[in-house]
Amino acid sequence: MSAIFSDEWMKSFMQQWNAESELTSALADINFSSNIGYGFPDDGQPTGVLVVENGSATSAGAYNGEELNWDIRASEQQWQKWIAKPPGMMGLGTAFASGKMKFKVGDYGAMLKDPRMAGPFIKSFSVMARA
């Protein structure tokens, strides 16, 4: 298994993302396009990046200075916990409120208030489990 958010892992995540019609369709319906960084709280930059255009992932790999719309951070232990058992809305809310999940870029509160985005965000964790 590749290290989480490594270039190889991100490419596998992209394939699993695109295989999940529940995720891609929901995001296509709202014309969701974003550069999403993933990483760890103490690092200066994210480890991996996923580029999404109209719901589908079009590229992924090691972060290489791309401009981000979202930059999501948690400890490696926390990411592994979510990959082993994908969280629900309540678990993610608790993680954010307690500081276990941080958004260096992006508005978590606004995303949660929009069920068209919140549902796919939660779904992305079960997709990570297959990467």
Side-chain angles (χ1 to χ4, degrees):
M1 183 173 155
S2 301
I4 187 169
F5 308 133
S6 68
D7 189 69
E8 183 180 347
W9 191 94
M10 291 302 297
K11 286 177 176 32
S12 176
F13 180 40
M14 177 179 81
Q15 289 177 336
Q16 295 303 321
W17 178 290
N18 288 334
E20 182 58 65
S21 61
E22 207 175 302
L23 179 60
T24 57
S25 296
L27 292 174
D29 288 346
I30 60 170
N31 300 314
F32 181 84
S33 295
S34 286
N35 293 351
I36 308 167
Y38 297 92
F40 310 106
D42 297 331
D43 293 349
Q45 62 186 27
T47 305
V49 64
L50 182 74
V51 177
V52 178
E53 294 177 17
N54 288 321
S56 294
T58 58
S59 69
Y63 177 72
N64 194 28
E66 295 87 350
E67 187 174 328
L68 299 172
N69 304 97
W70 300 91
D71 183 354
I72 309 166
R73 308 291 184 97
S75 70
E76 184 166 3
Q77 179 182 3
Q78 187 63 56
W79 283 117
Q80 295 294 354
K81 190 182 207 183
W82 287 327
I83 287 169
K85 185 175 188 255
M89 181 68 76
M90 195 166 190
L92 287 177
T94 301
F96 180 73
S98 67
K100 289 181 180 176
M101 174 185 280
K102 295 179 171 45
F103 282 72
K104 294 216 174 197
V105 178
D107 186 349
Y108 180 74
M111 187 247 315
L112 274 189
K113 292 175 188 167
D114 185 346
R116 300 171 311 159
M117 286 181 66
F121 180 63
I122 290 167
K123 187 70 172 171
S124 72
F125 286 88
S126 62
V127 171
M128 277 184 189
R130 298 191 302 258

